Amino acid sequence: MWAEEGERSVVRRVRFSEPFRKRPSVQVSLSMWDIHSDRNSRMELSTEAISAEGFDLVFRTWGDTQVARARANWLAIGELPHDDDWDIP
């Protein structure tokens, strides 16, 4: 994302260490960025394809923004399964 211009994106699949019971709410935030100081800072961080097992973390930039690296944090909140749960068909 350093040498190009225009719309660019990177997608990374995040898998939860333990699946949720249902689709959780997921919040993402940018925790670090290293960008060219003489360019505009255009960035979007979002989620896609959220499921009980994981989600896609999506980083987008556009225009003349030059990104050397970025880091994101995430938090998933939802109901977890319990050992005492049963599923009666």
Side-chain angles (χ1 to χ4, degrees):
M1 293 198 171
W2 186 262
E4 299 178 30
E5 289 192 6
E7 291 188 25
R8 290 154 283 151
S9 64
V10 174
V11 179
R12 294 288 185 258
R13 183 71 184 165
V14 175
R15 298 199 61 74
F16 302 131
S17 59
E18 181 179 340
F20 285 87
R21 196 179 222 187
K22 300 182 231 175
R23 181 178 179 251
S25 294
V26 178
Q27 179 180 353
V28 293
S29 63
L30 197 59
S31 61
M32 185 277 300
W33 63 359
D34 183 3
I35 60 170
H36 195 298
S37 62
D38 293 338
R39 303 293 176 106
N40 290 309
S41 303
R42 298 180 182 104
M43 289 173 259
E44 176 187 29
L45 189 62
S46 62
T47 60
E48 293 178 353
I50 300 172
S51 72
E53 290 77 31
F55 66 96
D56 289 341
L57 179 65
V58 183
F59 177 85
R60 290 185 178 95
T61 189
W62 58 95
D64 66 344
T65 302
Q66 289 182 309
V67 180
R69 60 188 175 151
R71 182 180 306 132
N73 289 335
W74 59 268
L75 172 68
I77 299 174
E79 190 176 343
L80 291 172
H82 190 273
D83 290 340
D84 292 340
D85 291 342
W86 351 326
D87 183 19
I88 301 173

